[in-house]
Amino acid sequence: MDTHSLSAFLEVAEASSFSKAGERLHLSQPAISKRIAALEAALGTPLFNRVGRRIDLTDAGRTLLPYARRVLAELEDGRRALSHLSGAVSGRLSIGTSHHIGLHRLPEVLRSYTQAYPDVDLDIHFMDSEDACEEVAQGRLELGIVTLPRDPPDALRMQMIWVDPLSVVVAPTHPLLREPEPKRLPTLKALAAYPAVLPDERTYTHRIVTAALQAHGVAPRIRLSTNYLETLKMLVAIGLGWSVLPRSMLDDTLVALELPELVLSRELGAVWHRGRTRSGPARALLDLLAAAR
């Protein structure tokens, strides 16, 4: 039994798909199938039921799963601990981050990092912050650079890096800006009468916005949801609804509304697993992120 076969088993079990497991491990589907077959032969029992396109764990597979997770996690911790002995910052660092943070916050940090530590192999995955936190909690990624959850899972530790102020935004042609008394500030009640475009309800940003509105007895009337902030910006600019976006994204295609009773922000930062050893590359990146505050 080798770790490559165990890694393939774990990926197939979590994705319920040989092809998706291959994508995660950068292997072909036949290569994944070969590793699973070798593991099943070594153990003398099938690990998956294969019925059409459906893949489920057998009783043996379900029994093996927690042991495989522990073995691979311990080996990864050992690798990270050994990396501290030499003092050299090298090896693979797997990171999950959102598209917005990747576009607007990380470029300068990662440029400095790659120049300072050329022997680190950065493995960057772009995904929703919520998914990145889950991947770190499950041990599949070492670090997440994300919108920080207000109620983090027990498995995660967090480091706040940036405060990200948010603004309620509309198109320059939005009806709220054509009120008969242009000097009068719009109210939250007036805003809620118009459709909104927001991230979907499972996102941390959505929860921040709706909780703030609910504190004033207001609920948004959501027309469309998407988790890509650049797409939300476009939808607002063409007049499909109002939204809440980071102030760093404001330009002449948007108008930020003055709503004194609604002060919004979110925290961006790093998350890592509480029970896992941080590698040298991870520690070095966390130090650079702290300096970027």
PDB file of all heavy atoms in Angstrom, residues 36-45:
ATOM      1  N   ILE A  36      -6.587   2.925  -7.716  1.00  0.00           N
ATOM      2  CA  ILE A  36      -7.639   2.344  -6.885  1.00  0.00           C
ATOM      3  C   ILE A  36      -7.624   0.828  -7.014  1.00  0.00           C
ATOM      4  O   ILE A  36      -7.770   0.092  -6.022  1.00  0.00           O
ATOM      5  CB  ILE A  36      -9.024   2.910  -7.278  1.00  0.00           C
ATOM      6  CG1 ILE A  36      -9.081   4.417  -7.018  1.00  0.00           C
ATOM      7  CG2 ILE A  36     -10.129   2.191  -6.514  1.00  0.00           C
ATOM      8  CD1 ILE A  36      -8.854   4.829  -5.579  1.00  0.00           C
ATOM      9  N   ALA A  37      -7.443   0.332  -8.239  1.00  0.00           N
ATOM     10  CA  ALA A  37      -7.395  -1.116  -8.447  1.00  0.00           C
ATOM     11  C   ALA A  37      -6.232  -1.745  -7.684  1.00  0.00           C
ATOM     12  O   ALA A  37      -6.368  -2.832  -7.093  1.00  0.00           O
ATOM     13  CB  ALA A  37      -7.281  -1.430  -9.944  1.00  0.00           C
ATOM     14  N   ALA A  38      -5.084  -1.059  -7.675  1.00  0.00           N
ATOM     15  CA  ALA A  38      -3.920  -1.574  -6.952  1.00  0.00           C
ATOM     16  C   ALA A  38      -4.190  -1.605  -5.450  1.00  0.00           C
ATOM     17  O   ALA A  38      -3.801  -2.561  -4.760  1.00  0.00           O
ATOM     18  CB  ALA A  38      -2.697  -0.709  -7.260  1.00  0.00           C
ATOM     19  N   LEU A  39      -4.856  -0.577  -4.936  1.00  0.00           N
ATOM     20  CA  LEU A  39      -5.172  -0.534  -3.505  1.00  0.00           C
ATOM     21  C   LEU A  39      -6.165  -1.639  -3.140  1.00  0.00           C
ATOM     22  O   LEU A  39      -6.012  -2.319  -2.115  1.00  0.00           O
ATOM     23  CB  LEU A  39      -5.733   0.841  -3.139  1.00  0.00           C
ATOM     24  CG  LEU A  39      -6.050   1.092  -1.664  1.00  0.00           C
ATOM     25  CD1 LEU A  39      -4.798   0.924  -0.798  1.00  0.00           C
ATOM     26  CD2 LEU A  39      -6.628   2.494  -1.480  1.00  0.00           C
ATOM     27  N   GLU A  40      -7.176  -1.826  -3.983  1.00  0.00           N
ATOM     28  CA  GLU A  40      -8.163  -2.877  -3.727  1.00  0.00           C
ATOM     29  C   GLU A  40      -7.513  -4.258  -3.778  1.00  0.00           C
ATOM     30  O   GLU A  40      -7.846  -5.140  -2.976  1.00  0.00           O
ATOM     31  CB  GLU A  40      -9.307  -2.777  -4.740  1.00  0.00           C
ATOM     32  CG  GLU A  40     -10.189  -1.552  -4.524  1.00  0.00           C
ATOM     33  CD  GLU A  40     -11.267  -1.391  -5.573  1.00  0.00           C
ATOM     34  OE1 GLU A  40     -11.023  -1.770  -6.745  1.00  0.00           O
ATOM     35  OE2 GLU A  40     -12.352  -0.882  -5.220  1.00  0.00           O
ATOM     36  N   ALA A  41      -6.568  -4.439  -4.688  1.00  0.00           N
ATOM     37  CA  ALA A  41      -5.863  -5.720  -4.781  1.00  0.00           C
ATOM     38  C   ALA A  41      -5.014  -5.966  -3.536  1.00  0.00           C
ATOM     39  O   ALA A  41      -4.959  -7.080  -3.004  1.00  0.00           O
ATOM     40  CB  ALA A  41      -4.990  -5.755  -6.040  1.00  0.00           C
ATOM     41  N   ALA A  42      -4.348  -4.902  -3.061  1.00  0.00           N
ATOM     42  CA  ALA A  42      -3.500  -5.035  -1.865  1.00  0.00           C
ATOM     43  C   ALA A  42      -4.326  -5.366  -0.627  1.00  0.00           C
ATOM     44  O   ALA A  42      -3.887  -6.125   0.239  1.00  0.00           O
ATOM     45  CB  ALA A  42      -2.706  -3.749  -1.648  1.00  0.00           C
ATOM     46  N   LEU A  43      -5.530  -4.799  -0.552  1.00  0.00           N
ATOM     47  CA  LEU A  43      -6.389  -5.019   0.613  1.00  0.00           C
ATOM     48  C   LEU A  43      -7.283  -6.241   0.461  1.00  0.00           C
ATOM     49  O   LEU A  43      -7.875  -6.706   1.440  1.00  0.00           O
ATOM     50  CB  LEU A  43      -7.256  -3.776   0.865  1.00  0.00           C
ATOM     51  CG  LEU A  43      -6.500  -2.505   1.248  1.00  0.00           C
ATOM     52  CD1 LEU A  43      -7.446  -1.306   1.287  1.00  0.00           C
ATOM     53  CD2 LEU A  43      -5.823  -2.674   2.614  1.00  0.00           C
ATOM     54  N   GLY A  44      -7.411  -6.733  -0.763  1.00  0.00           N
ATOM     55  CA  GLY A  44      -8.219  -7.909  -0.998  1.00  0.00           C
ATOM     56  C   GLY A  44      -9.711  -7.682  -0.900  1.00  0.00           C
ATOM     57  O   GLY A  44     -10.467  -8.615  -0.604  1.00  0.00           O
ATOM     58  N   THR A  45     -10.147  -6.447  -1.166  1.00  0.00           N
ATOM     59  CA  THR A  45     -11.578  -6.145  -1.071  1.00  0.00           C
ATOM     60  C   THR A  45     -11.896  -4.923  -1.916  1.00  0.00           C
ATOM     61  O   THR A  45     -11.063  -4.009  -2.026  1.00  0.00           O
ATOM     62  CB  THR A  45     -12.007  -5.889   0.391  1.00  0.00           C
ATOM     63  OG1 THR A  45     -13.412  -5.684   0.457  1.00  0.00           O
ATOM     64  CG2 THR A  45     -11.303  -4.670   0.969  1.00  0.00           C
TER      65      THR A  45
END
